Amino acid sequence: MSDFSVLGMTTEPLHRPAAVDRALVDPADVGRGGLPWRALLVLACATLIMVTGEMLPTAVLPQMSAGLGVSQASTGLLVSLWAAVVVVASFPLVRLTSRLGRRTVIAGSLAVFAFSSAVTALAPNYAVAVAGRTLGAAAVGLLWATVNAYAADLVPDHLLARATAVVLGGAMLGTVLGTPAGRFVADHAGWRASFWLLAAAGLVTAWLVRTVVPAGAALTNAGSHHRASSDSPLTPVVAVTLLAALVVAGHFGAYTYVTRLAEQPASLLPGGMATLLLGFGIASAAGLTLAGRAGERLPTALVASTAGMAVAVLGLSIANAYAVAGVVVVLAWGLAFGALPPLAQTRILQLAGPHHRATAGALIPVLFNGGIAVGAALASAVVAHQGVDALPVPAAGLIAAATVGLAVTQRVIARGA
């Protein structure tokens, strides 16, 4: 059985890394800690825009529904459609663009994303909005796959966790700042203005990619013990990605109903649920920052973060009965979850090595978006049959099972190293 037969693919890397001179990374761009800050910050801007684009319909739900003449439920489906398209389109598009340079793919995808946002802004009806969102989601699926691989190629392995944290910091800002900014613009200038602003941001970022990000990623991982040869097995990469997706499923299953699960803790705080969710976001930012410092302890840190998340999600079962403890539980949950994306993504890209990073980069958005969809669906089924109070136990169980799987997988990988 081939390494990738479970996905119906060969083991050929989707992008063959070119032998690019390290001089392409401008020495002036290498700042404190040895990171190419300008390039990484531009890539972080790209992830900020991607996440903002994904969630924008939820932020402008009432205005967009009224403008398109459809129900709010129909407008909400635009977010679900987005995730589904990312899952379906990422691998085919990565293969289709495999002969292009990664910088070209990123800039071109951002331009397509900008065009799709303009189509949505101009949409006279729901069908055109669906078409615009479908095109944008396809572009973002390719963007996630390429940005993941490209950021890893810009730095040596010992800096990969920090570089990933910087790039994913943009994605977090998309949730914390981008989506609320979209709502602010919609409240004052209409929902279409929000999408026009998104289109402009996409074009500006595409230009920055072409002018700031180096034309090719240097293979700085030569000599690293994480480097994979072109015929190295993909089984560990697929295993860790699937287990991380299972964690995501458990997390989003619970987070979908956080406003119900943490009603009493929120009532203790000025501003109620908005303040509690802000605290969750701040704790997540702290977790992301800590993840960037994992270094050689990354495998252990990944298992520890998922174990902490399982405990925190299980703690939601008592949050409404013990409100003060519930606040602590939500903040601990945010801290653990903030660390998960950079730790998981860094570990996956390390295991993939330069020759399989495009494949791994495509796996990450496909399986993570699949985890979000599965988690939300399972949570809805649990709530429908047993009520929201029954949700923390199965959600925590999924995360705990993934934690055990990750611990076992890391041990197997260590023995085979």
Side-chain angles (χ1 to χ4, degrees), residues 93-200:
L93 288 176
V94 168
R95 283 194 167 277
L96 186 64
T97 60
S98 61
R99 295 185 180 277
L100 300 176
R102 285 176 179 158
R103 185 180 71 167
T104 299
V105 172
I106 294 170
S109 298
L110 282 166
V112 173
F113 173 83
F115 175 74
S116 75
S117 299
V119 169
T120 306
L122 291 168
N125 53 51
Y126 184 70
V128 175
V130 168
R133 293 287 294 174
T134 300
L135 180 63
V140 164
L142 180 58
L143 271 168
W144 273 122
T146 311
V147 166
N148 287 339
Y150 196 85
D153 283 343
L154 287 172
V155 297
D157 273 1
H158 72 278
L159 294 176
L160 183 53
R162 292 187 182 183
T164 302
V166 171
V167 174
L168 291 183
M172 182 167 290
L173 286 177
T175 301
V176 176
L177 296 179
T179 306
R183 177 55 185 261
F184 178 82
V185 172
D187 287 342
H188 291 81
W191 70 270
R192 295 181 189 274
S194 298
F195 281 95
W196 279 119
L197 185 61
L198 191 64

Side-chain angles (χ1 to χ4, degrees), residues 157-158 221-228 296 347 350 417:
D157 273 1
H158 72 278
N221 294 285
S224 165
H225 67 280
H226 290 300
R227 179 169 181 166
E296 293 297 322
R347 185 58 175 155
Q350 280 183 346

Side-chain angles (χ1 to χ4, degrees), residues 91-348:
F91 269 110
L93 288 176
V94 168
R95 283 194 167 277
L96 186 64
T97 60
S98 61
R99 295 185 180 277
L100 300 176
R102 285 176 179 158
R103 185 180 71 167
T104 299
V105 172
I106 294 170
S109 298
L110 282 166
V112 173
F113 173 83
F115 175 74
S116 75
S117 299
V119 169
T120 306
L122 291 168
N125 53 51
Y126 184 70
V128 175
V130 168
R133 293 287 294 174
T134 300
L135 180 63
V140 164
L142 180 58
L143 271 168
W144 273 122
T146 311
V147 166
N148 287 339
Y150 196 85
D153 283 343
L154 287 172
V155 297
D157 273 1
H158 72 278
L159 294 176
L160 183 53
R162 292 187 182 183
T164 302
V166 171
V167 174
L168 291 183
M172 182 167 290
L173 286 177
T175 301
V176 176
L177 296 179
T179 306
R183 177 55 185 261
F184 178 82
V185 172
D187 287 342
H188 291 81
W191 70 270
R192 295 181 189 274
S194 298
F195 281 95
W196 279 119
L197 185 61
L198 191 64
L203 286 177
V204 170
T205 307
W207 175 78
L208 286 173
V209 168
R210 293 294 299 177
T211 56
V212 174
V213 176
L219 294 180
T220 55
N221 294 285
S224 165
H225 67 280
H226 290 300
R227 179 169 181 166
S229 66
S230 59
D231 60 351
S232 61
L234 278 166
T235 303
V237 176
V238 176
V240 173
T241 310
L242 282 170
L243 290 167
L246 190 62
V247 176
V248 170
H251 163 77
F252 275 97
Y255 193 76
T256 301
Y257 295 92
V258 65
T259 56
R260 298 274 304 280
L261 292 168
E263 284 178 334
Q264 293 306 312
S267 68
L268 296 179
L269 304 174
M273 186 58 67
T275 302
L276 185 61
L277 293 179
L278 176 62
F280 182 94
I282 293 172
S284 296
L288 185 145
T289 302
L290 290 173
R293 301 177 180 275
E296 293 297 322
R297 301 184 302 274
L298 189 143
T300 301
L302 175 59
V303 174
S305 72
T306 58
M309 199 185 311
V311 172
V313 170
L314 183 62
L316 291 172
S317 60
I318 63 167
N320 283 327
Y322 303 94
V324 174
V327 173
V328 175
V329 162
V330 171
L331 295 179
W333 182 15
L335 183 70
F337 176 70
L340 173 68
L343 290 174
Q345 183 165 307
T346 302
R347 185 58 175 155
I348 291 164

